[in-house]
Amino acid sequence: MTMDRRNFIKGAVAMGGAAALAGLAGCSSEPEPAIEPGTYTATVPSIKGDLTLNVSFDGMSITDIRTVSCADSSVISDVAIESLTRRIVEQQNVEVDAVSGATMTSMAFKQAVSDCIEQAGGKLRDFQKGSDTVNAKMQAPDEDFDLVVIGAGIAGMSAALTAARKSDLKVLLLEKCAFVGGCFRVCGGGMWTMDADINQWVGQDCSLDDYVSFMQQRSAPYEIDTELLSNMRAVAGETFMYLMENGLTANPATWTFGNPESQLPCFWSMNNKEHAWETGESGWADEVHKIVERTGVETRVNSRAVSLKTDGSAVTGVVVEDLEKIYTVNAKSVVVATGGFTRNKDYIEEFAPEYADAFAFTAGGDTGDGITMTRELDVPVVGQGMMGLFGINPSTGYYGEVGNLVWAAQASVNKEGEESGVAGAFYGDTLALLLSQTDSCAYALYDATNNAVERLEKGVAQGLAAKYDSLDELADGEGIDRTGLQEVAASRGVSQAPFYCIVQKPLFIGSIPGLKVNSSCQVENGSGEVVENLYAAGMVMFGNVFNVAYPCSGTGVGTSNYTGAVAANAILASL
């Protein structure tokens, strides 16, 4: 059985409605299903493509669930599939809670199981038992650590790793999702570095003056913390080389300048590079976490930091909630590395309202938790703008065999049929550029001479691209001014039918506004005073070191990695 995406969403809504009706009707909590024994197959759309399951039944219950194929990101989907398979079979319940950080995969999985139940002649309501969350979670005893790091993206892993490998501190790394990595897991796999052995190997480095000048120019007219930039550069070389010498697969042969206007060399992952479009899921998140684990850091996933524990103006620990219990971790120092807020519409409206028409192409946990948990401490949010570029939709973005076609356009126009400006702009500037266009988008044009026609045809089949026999037909089909489109197409050599079009839409790869910190990554309150024992690293504090837009490739990962190290070094220096 197959479903289109619209019916998939309808099905998900219907499942919730059925559960409510069953409850009102006094449905028994112990169902007595009558099911035709056998194995049934269902295919449903998930976030990156189809998910296919085989579900087996005896005469009364689900006995086994096997995943035939899943197009979603492997580590994320693997965690969801393992958890859902176990819980659905154990509980005979298709309404078990979604796996944190893998919501869409979870929805698809539960929908496929539901389809198989119906194919087998079962009553869906008998397998709808509601959330399996423990409502009254056990209050567990307090625990004690020297350092607690909240968030297991690259910033959090860097802070935990640096502290653990340079001391005998007892370090705890918390992650609210079911897997580590955060936005680091879905990035393109690039990181800039300076003053490292690898810079000498390739003969390209960036001086402190050039680095500061570039970041100031990109952030104008807003101020940035140049002393913090200096501290980041001071740790960059040693921090990067430690990772590379211990398992990070960076490729010296494929370095690029992160921005044509900068001297910052960006180094790229050696994984997933058989084709130009195979970016994202670079493998770096798992490589770094393996290095972290070898230092003795304890990592806990499915463990959400609910709030900070304070004693007056000092932070003394973290209140944590996992799948079964709530407990407090007492700590001498806490690093907030919770990422940004690209998936929090309220925070976008508060801190970057002009970007409301863009969608997030980031980790599911990017909900602004660091801002939320420090509000009672009067910590200001500094910085302007958002990080982003363009893509097709929230699930495809600009990755994959079809998604990557947004980069292969022969021309890009707006509704008025004018050049959109996307083609000639640095990609970090295209987020704001697209938002300034009518309907906040542009139209990528391709003709029969494009060397990606085979992939374009796949895009048409998937509903991600459109195909036309003439430019006038394309203009009318997309609502573009005919005259303008014809003029741009002629100037760009787009002339041979058939013609293809992909709508280029603005997307987020991160946020910039974040917690105010000093040059040692210590969090400061609204009076400019240090919040004792509290540090911040990564996207949650980006607004201190750059503003306006994404400045260059490798900035998100590089800044996160090196601010994590700066925070850890400051903690060690305070002992």
Side-chain angles (χ1 to χ4, degrees), residues 262-309:
S262 82
Q263 295 299 307
L264 279 170
C266 181
F267 298 92
W268 299 89
S269 169
M270 294 174 67
N271 301 310
N272 299 336
K273 297 300 181 184
E274 182 179 351
H275 301 292
W277 59 79
E278 289 183 350
T279 52
E281 281 297 308
S282 68
W284 274 4
D286 293 321
E287 290 174 357
V288 173
H289 189 242
K290 288 177 182 177
I291 301 170
V292 171
E293 287 183 312
R294 290 199 292 268
T295 65
V297 171
E298 181 177 348
T299 302
R300 296 179 186 175
V301 297
N302 289 312
S303 298
R304 182 173 68 93
V306 178
S307 61
L308 297 172
K309 180 184 176 184

Side-chain angles (χ1 to χ4, degrees), residues 130-142:
S131 167
D132 64 345
T133 297
V134 179
N135 294 322
K137 293 192 175 181
M138 176 182 69
Q139 184 67 50
D142 288 6

